[in-house]
């Protein structure tokens, strides 16, 4: 056999092998991809949706008179909703209410909305953290499936890895091999399978880069991959540099358990302790004044210390990610113990924060939201068109999965790709092993039937 024919045979086997894996992986992850795209599309506009759902609580009429002191607003909230103070969010703009987070005697934490000018309590909602409302909290949990437990979270992590692999394999399958149609144009009509094949290919070409970006910027917060990435970046000094807590003793409580949203690079770092463990706590009014003096961006939240040696923690994640900041203040003196902004992070830490800001549609305003919305709509179209294409080509009563040419083994390039991908994305590697076991068992059964 000539080298040309051998190369052609290898190319054919590799193409069909990748097609087979692309087919099975696509069918398995399709429901999760659609779930991620739909919930992600909704969450992009969470602030607009929250204002529409709860404008009576979140919005106020600006007044010429100055806002009341934080302590007065907190007192009004506690009078209407007795409990323990857990947090305070100053009004971020003249037309916004102040938010007071209170832990009730029933063990539930609620957000009480207060008019900053009159001190009138506007109402309350169950505290949904960074999501801003119970409705958006549900969307956020569906997006990550964290509320469904450990296994579901690992599945989503695996789906993210498979989305990257599907993009790479899809690009290989799309690559022009002499055909004139279906590259950047769609042939036929919706009644024809070739229409859906071309639509799938062209849509994949358009949104492939977005798929990889969204998957990779979401993975740092995943259960297994994210922890490993965090450990390696910290060990290399590329995430959170050492030295920020050297001057003060620290607790055993990680930052992510104190604030609604913590920067990825320091979410597992311990919160510092106040220098004293007893005394007269600093007034909330003084803490707010200090934060204003050091230039904390509007929209920040303050977490109230709950232990004698705890600290005040203020954090803000504005649309302008360059103003992201976390500040810890001594509970008794009000002194700033720790002040970290985006520029203080290592290269990977900054990259992760920029990535998640764009991922959530914050960094570039409405344009960011609309571009991602179009990309997510394309991902849904990609999934639906792939499903319809398969449905139209499948034989009656059969699955219609692509088969390898008879007598050929899996090509070494595909095995190398599978090994590298499995190492980089462990959840993908585990699913690949499961697929190989099923393929091996299926191959053995077929041989027994034909023996």
């Amino acid at each position: 056999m000539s080298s040309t024919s051998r190369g052609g045979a290898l190319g054919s086997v590799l193409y069909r092998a990748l097609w087979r894996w692309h087919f099975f992986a696509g069918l398995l992850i399709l429901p999760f991809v659609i779930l991620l795209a739909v919930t992600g599309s909704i969450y992009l506009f969470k602030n607009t949706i929250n204002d529409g759902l709860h404008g009576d609580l979140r919005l106020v009429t600006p007044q010429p008179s100055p806002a009341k002191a934080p302590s007065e607003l907190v007192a009004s909230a506690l009078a209407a909703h007795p409990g323990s103070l857990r947090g305070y969010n100053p009004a971020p703009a003249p037309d916004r209410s102040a938010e007071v987070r209170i832990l009730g005697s029933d063990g539930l934490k609620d957000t009480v909305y207060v008019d900053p000018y009159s001190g009138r309590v506007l109402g309350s909602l169950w505290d949904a953290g960074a999501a801003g409302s119970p409705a958006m909290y549900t969307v956020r949990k569906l997006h990550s499936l964290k509320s469904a437990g450990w296994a579901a979270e690992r599945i989503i992590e695996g789906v993210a890895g498979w989305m990257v692999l599907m993009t790479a394999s899809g690009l290989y399958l799309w690559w022009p091999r002499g055909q004139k149609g279906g590259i950047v144009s769609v042939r036929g009509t919706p009644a024809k399978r070739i229409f859906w094949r071309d639509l799938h290919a062209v849509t994949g070409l358009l949104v492939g880069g977005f798929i990889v970006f969204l998957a990779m910027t979401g993975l740092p917060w995943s259960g297994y991959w994210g922890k490993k990435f965090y450990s390696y970046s910290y060990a290399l000094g590329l995430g959170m540099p050492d030295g920020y807590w050297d001057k003060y003793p620290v607790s055993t409580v990680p930052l992510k358990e104190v604030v609604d949203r913590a920067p990825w690079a320091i979410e597992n770092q311990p919160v510092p302790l106040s220098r004293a463990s007893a005394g007269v706590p600093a007034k909330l009014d003084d803490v707010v004044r200090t934060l204003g003096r050091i230039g904390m961006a509007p929209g920040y939240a303050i977490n109230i210390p709950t232990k004698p040696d705890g600290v005040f923690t203020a954090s803000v994640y504005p649309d302008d990610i360059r103003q992201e900041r976390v500040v810890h203040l001594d509970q008794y003196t009000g002194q700033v113990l720790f002040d970290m902004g985006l520029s203080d992070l290592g290269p990977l830490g900054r990259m992760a924060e920029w990535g998640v800001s764009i991922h959530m549609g914050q960094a570039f305003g409405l344009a960011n939201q609309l571009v991602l919305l179009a990309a997510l709509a394309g991902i849904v179209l990609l999934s639906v068109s792939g499903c319809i294409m398969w449905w139209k080509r499948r034989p009656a009563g059969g699955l219609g999965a692509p088969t390898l040419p008879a007598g050929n083994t899996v090509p070494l390039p595909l095995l190398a790709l599978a090994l590298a991908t499995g190492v980089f994305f462990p959840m993908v590697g585990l699913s690949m092993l499961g697929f190989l076991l099923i393929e091996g068992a299926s191959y053995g059964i077929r041989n027994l039937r034909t023996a």
Side-chain angles (χ1 to χ4, degrees):
M1 182 182 293
S2 67
S3 61
T4 302
S5 61
R6 284 197 301 269
L10 175 61
S12 175
V13 175
L14 179 60
Y15 182 92
R16 294 188 69 85
L18 274 175
W19 183 17
R20 182 174 176 82
W21 279 51
H22 191 88
F23 169 83
F24 279 114
L27 284 183
L28 289 173
I29 72 172
L30 184 145
F32 299 101
V33 171
I34 293 177
L35 173 68
L36 290 171
V38 171
T39 54
S41 297
I42 297 171
Y43 203 75
L44 281 173
F45 300 93
K46 71 178 179 72
N47 289 332
T48 302
I49 294 172
N50 284 337
D51 286 347
L53 292 174
H54 306 293
D56 57 328
L57 302 178
R58 295 164 60 91
L59 302 173
V60 299
T61 301
Q63 301 294 329
S65 58
K68 290 183 175 295
S71 56
E72 294 182 70
L73 302 180
V74 169
S76 295
L78 287 171
H81 196 297
S84 303
L85 179 64
R86 286 293 182 265
Y88 174 73
N89 300 11
D95 63 343
R96 295 282 167 171
S97 60
E99 300 176 13
V100 181
R101 298 193 299 281
I102 296 174
L103 181 67
S105 58
D106 55 3
L108 298 177
K109 189 164 68 172
D110 292 321
T111 298
V112 179
Y113 298 85
V114 185
D115 187 314
Y117 303 103
S118 66
R120 181 172 64 91
V121 173
L122 305 174
S124 65
L125 290 173
W126 172 74
D127 182 39
S133 74
M136 287 299 102
Y137 178 88
T138 301
V139 172
R140 184 178 182 179
K141 289 301 180 182
L142 283 173
H143 189 70
S144 65
L145 285 187
K146 286 187 177 181
S147 57
W150 176 89
E153 188 180 359
R154 294 298 187 273
I155 288 173
I156 289 295
E157 181 177 333
V159 168
W162 269 112
M163 288 170 69
V164 175
L165 189 60
M166 292 283 287
T167 301
S169 61
L171 181 63
Y172 180 86
L173 296 173
W174 165 89
W175 196 262
R177 293 173 176 83
Q179 73 268 30
K180 296 181 179 179
I183 306 304
V184 293
S185 61
V186 179
R187 298 166 291 183
T189 65
K192 303 290 186 179
R193 189 184 75 85
I194 195 171
F195 171 87
W196 296 102
R197 179 266 170 207
D198 288 357
L199 182 62
H200 184 76
V202 173
T203 303
L205 178 66
L206 294 175
V207 303
F210 290 100
I211 292 174
V212 174
F213 172 80
L214 290 171
M216 294 306 299
T217 52
L219 276 169
W221 275 264
S222 62
Y224 184 84
W225 194 95
K227 286 180 180 178
K228 293 298 182 183
F229 184 48
Y230 180 93
S231 299
Y232 293 142
S233 65
Y234 187 80
L236 295 171
L238 299 176
M240 178 64 194
D242 287 319
Y244 282 88
W245 288 266
D246 290 350
K247 297 179 181 179
Y248 307 101
V250 295
S251 67
T252 58
V253 180
L255 178 63
K256 64 183 178 183
E257 294 185 11
V258 175
V259 297
D260 292 331
R261 175 184 163 191
W264 166 80
I266 65 168
E267 65 178 4
N268 292 313
Q269 294 300 318
V271 174
L273 298 173
S274 292
R275 287 181 167 180
S277 59
V280 179
K283 294 180 179 179
L284 180 61
D285 297 350
D286 295 331
V287 171
V288 171
R289 273 193 290 269
T290 298
L291 293 171
R293 188 178 68 250
I294 65 175
M296 197 79 167
Y300 65 85
I302 302 173
N303 282 72
I304 307 300
T306 58
K307 296 181 179 180
D309 56 359
V311 294
F312 289 97
T313 298
S315 57
V316 64
Y317 303 92
D319 291 346
D320 183 354
I321 193 65
R322 293 169 297 180
Q323 296 187 58
E324 175 181 291
R325 201 167 176 183
V326 175
V327 178
H328 296 298
L329 303 96
D330 189 282
Q331 178 178 174
Y332 302 101
T333 66
Q335 176 188 358
V336 174
L337 304 177
F338 171 87
D339 186 350
M340 190 218 73
L342 184 71
S343 61
D344 297 309
L345 298 176
L348 283 180
R350 291 195 298 273
M351 184 176 67
E353 291 304 298
W354 269 105
V356 76
S357 182
I358 298 172
H359 184 116
M360 296 178 68
Q362 293 181 209
F364 304 109
L366 182 60
N368 194 161
Q369 294 171 311
L370 293 178
V371 168
L372 286 186
L373 179 63
L376 291 168
I379 291 172
V380 173
L381 179 60
L382 183 70
S383 303
V384 172
S385 61
C387 188
I388 294 175
M389 175 177 63
W390 159 69
W391 190 260
K392 284 183 172 292
R393 73 174 293 275
R394 69 180 184 88
L399 185 61
T403 57
L404 291 173
N408 283 286
T409 57
V410 177
L412 286 177
L414 183 60
L415 289 176
L417 174 64
L419 180 61
T421 305
V423 170
F424 193 73
F425 299 114
M427 296 303 111
V428 173
L430 288 175
S431 61
M432 282 182 176
L433 288 176
F435 178 73
L436 285 174
L437 290 174
I438 295 173
E439 284 277 81
S442 176
Y443 180 78
I445 292 172
R446 286 197 302 268
N447 281 349
L448 286 175
R449 288 177 177 174
T450 56

